[in-house]
Amino acid sequence: MKAFMVEKYGDQAGMRAAEAPDPQVGADDVLVKIHAAGVNPLDLRIRNGDFKTFLPYRLPLILGNDLAGTVVRVGPSVTRFAVGDEVYARPDKDRIGTFAELIAVHQDDLAPKPATLTMPEAASLPLVALTAWQALVERARVQPGQKVLIHAGAGGLGSIAVQLAKALGAHVATTVSTAKVDLARDLGADVVIDYRTQDFEEVLDGYDVVLDSLGGENLAKSLRVLKPGGTAISVAGPPDPAFARELGANPVLRLAMTALSSKTRRQAKRLGVTYSFLFMKASGDQLRELTPLIDTGKVRPVVDRVFPFDETLQAMEYVEKGRAKAGKVVVSMT
C-alpha cells in the first residue's frame, strides 16, 4: 500500500511517500480503507522527535492520528463492526499511521462515522474531539453555569472545545486573533478576547476551568485567572507526575517529568488551583458519546482545507507554517 513515512527524526526531508506492507489484522482488529485523514500539530511533533523520550516509535514510521473510512475486513473476535461499515477513529498512540491507504485498528478504538458528516469532516474530529471530551468531561467534569476558558478557540482543538463546553452548559470565554473573532462568536463563545489587542489576564477572573493548548507564559497567566479550586488542563505544558505514572515511565523519566513541571505545579499550589497535563487516549466509546452532539449540530467540524493524499507533505507544511485560518487540515484519498 502507499503511505507517507518518516525515516528519521527531523525536518520534512525525513518524510516521503513509499510503498509499505499491508497492515496485519489481529483477532480484535478492524482493517479500514482510509478515505480521509486529519493533520495535527501532534504529527509534526512526532516527526521532529519531540516525544521520543516517552513515545519511542521505531523508524520508519507512518504518521497520521485521525481517520475516516470504510471497513474492508474484520478479525475473528470482532463483534462491533462488519465489512462495509463507515467508521472514524483516533488509533491508539502505539498504532498510529493514517497517512496510508489502509490501517488496522482495534475495535475498541473505532466508532461509526456520524451520519451527517462527509469523510473529510469526520476525519477532522477524532483527536481534537477526544481531547476536548477528556479535558472537559472526564477530567474537569464541567457543570452547567461554570466558567470555562478555551485558548485558541478558532484552532483545531479550540473550535471543538468551545462548542463542547457550551453543550455542557458552561459560560465560555476564548482567545483568538482579530480575524477570527466572528468565528469564535459563531461557535458559541460568550466572551471573545482578541489577543492582539487585549490581555486575557486583565479581562477575565474567577474561572473554574482553563483548557490551554499554547503552554509557556500563556499557561502561567491562565493559572492566575482561575478561582481557588479551579483547574488548568494543558496539552502543551510540561508533563506532570500523574502522566508519568499513567505512562508507566521508568524512574529516571518519571523524575525528569516531575522536575519539568515543578515550577508550574508550585505556582498552581500557591494560587490554590491545580495543574494537569493531558495526553489524550483513543476511545471508540467516547466517540460514540460525542456522535449525538455532532449529528444534532451542537458540535460541528471546522475544516480549513482539504488536500489530496498525494499532497500530504504539502498539507504538513501548511500546518507547520500556520497557514490554516481556522479549524483542521485534512488529506483526502478520493
Side-chain angles (χ1 to χ4, degrees):
M1 67 170 182
K2 189 174 181 181
F4 282 86
M5 308 186 75
V6 175
E7 296 179 305
K8 63 178 182 178
Y9 288 128
D11 61 20
Q12 210 144 345
M15 185 174 170
R16 67 181 180 89
E19 285 297 319
D22 285 355
Q24 293 185 336
V25 181
D28 288 293
D29 289 345
V30 175
L31 185 65
V32 180
K33 180 181 179 182
I34 298 172
H35 290 253
V39 181
N40 294 282
L42 177 61
D43 298 306
L44 299 166
R45 300 192 70 180
I46 292 172
R47 183 203 67 189
N48 294 343
D50 292 353
F51 296 135
K52 61 185 177 183
T53 54
F54 62 86
L55 289 178
Y57 290 115
R58 295 178 61 183
L59 302 181
L61 168 72
I62 302 172
L63 281 180
N65 287 272
D66 280 319
L67 73 95
T70 305
V71 175
V72 293
R73 199 165 117 215
V74 297
S77 299
V78 171
T79 57
R80 290 182 160 192
F81 299 95
V83 172
D85 287 350
E86 293 187 339
V87 294
Y88 74 147
R90 186 278 203 246
D92 182 78
K93 63 180 174 56
D94 297 324
R95 302 185 65 179
I96 67 171
T98 63
F99 296 160
E101 293 173 318
L102 297 167
I103 190 170
V105 182
H106 194 286
Q107 64 173 335
D108 291 348
D109 298 336
L110 274 175
K113 180 184 77 66
T116 56
L117 300 186
T118 65
M119 288 288 183
E121 287 172 336
S124 76
L125 282 176
L127 186 141
V128 293
L130 285 171
T131 303
W133 183 273
Q134 289 166 23
L136 301 177
V137 176
E138 190 174 55
R139 195 164 292 188
R141 299 181 182 180
V142 170
Q143 300 299 311
Q146 286 190 315
K147 295 167 69 176
V148 177
L149 168 60
I150 310 289
H151 284 294
L157 171 58
S159 62
I160 302 304
V162 165
Q163 295 176 81
L164 178 59
K166 285 301 295 180
L168 295 170
H171 173 91
V172 181
T174 191
T175 57
V176 294
S177 64
T178 309
K180 300 170 186 175
V181 167
D182 289 342
L183 172 62
R185 291 199 177 107
D186 185 52
L187 292 172
D190 299 289
V191 178
V192 181
I193 306 294
D194 178 353
Y195 66 76
R196 296 188 189 279
T197 60
Q198 297 172 287
D199 183 341
F200 74 88
E201 187 185 2
E202 296 177 359
V203 179
L204 307 178
D205 186 51
Y207 274 67
D208 297 279
V209 180
V210 177
L211 177 54
D212 166 64
S213 56
L214 302 171
E217 180 58 23
N218 192 82
L219 173 58
K221 291 165 66 173
S222 295
L223 295 174
R224 298 194 287 268
V225 305
L226 289 168
K227 71 179 187 182
T231 301
I233 300 167
S234 180
V235 298
D240 59 8
F243 174 66
R245 288 193 298 271
E246 182 184 309
L247 196 65
N250 63 53
V252 174
L253 186 54
R254 192 175 299 187
L255 191 63
M257 289 186 183
T258 300
L260 280 172
S261 61
S262 61
K263 180 180 177 182
T264 302
R265 288 184 291 111
R266 281 198 307 270
Q267 182 188 8
K269 188 175 181 179
R270 282 197 304 271
L271 293 167
V273 303
T274 59
Y275 165 69
S276 179
F277 174 75
L278 175 66
F279 192 90
M280 59 77 59
K281 299 185 288 289
S283 174
D285 287 342
Q286 289 178 356
L287 286 175
R288 281 180 167 83
E289 293 192 71
L290 280 154
T291 296
L293 295 173
I294 296 164
D295 280 337
T296 57
K298 291 180 179 177
V299 174
R300 59 182 172 87
V302 180
V303 177
D304 177 86
R305 183 172 169 183
V306 179
F307 285 79
F309 179 56
D310 288 343
E311 295 181 14
T312 297
L313 294 179
Q314 289 91 324
M316 294 271 287
E317 183 181 17
Y318 184 84
V319 171
E320 185 171 29
K321 293 188 175 178
R323 293 177 182 164
K325 296 178 179 65
K328 288 287 291 290
V329 173
V330 176
V331 294
S332 175
M333 312 306 175
T334 55

